[in-house]
Amino acid sequence: MPFVEVNWFEGRSDEQKAEIAKRIEVALVEVAGVAPDHCWVKFSDSKKTDFIIGGPRTKSGARGATHQS
């Protein structure tokens, strides 16, 4: 049973999530031969400030910067 987790920024509608999940399911069925009722898709919505992206060290010595786009 495939379990697909999508981690992304918050703000997508339930309709968008349903469409993404359906497309992932179709790919698993067509390519991997998985039964549709065995496809699990979990969405983890996070605030942009919850992500740290690697890069140059800040003045405090911490590596990375909060993603702001």
Side-chain angles (χ1 to χ4, degrees):
M1 167 173 40
F3 182 92
V4 177
E5 185 170 7
V6 178
N7 293 284
W8 56 4
F9 297 138
E10 64 188 353
R12 274 60 173 224
S13 68
D14 290 344
E15 292 79 15
Q16 288 173 309
K17 292 177 186 179
E19 180 65 23
I20 296 281
K22 185 63 181 170
R23 291 182 188 207
I24 291 170
E25 177 187 304
V26 167
L28 288 169
V29 169
E30 290 179 357
V31 178
V34 176
D37 59 334
H38 290 165
C39 298
W40 290 41
V41 179
K42 178 182 185 273
F43 294 95
S44 295
D45 298 340
S46 298
K47 296 177 185 175
K48 288 183 180 181
T49 56
D50 290 341
F51 286 83
I52 302 297
I53 298 173
R57 294 191 182 275
T58 63
K59 289 181 183 178
S60 68
R63 184 164 172 101
T66 303
H67 183 51
Q68 297 296 323
S69 58

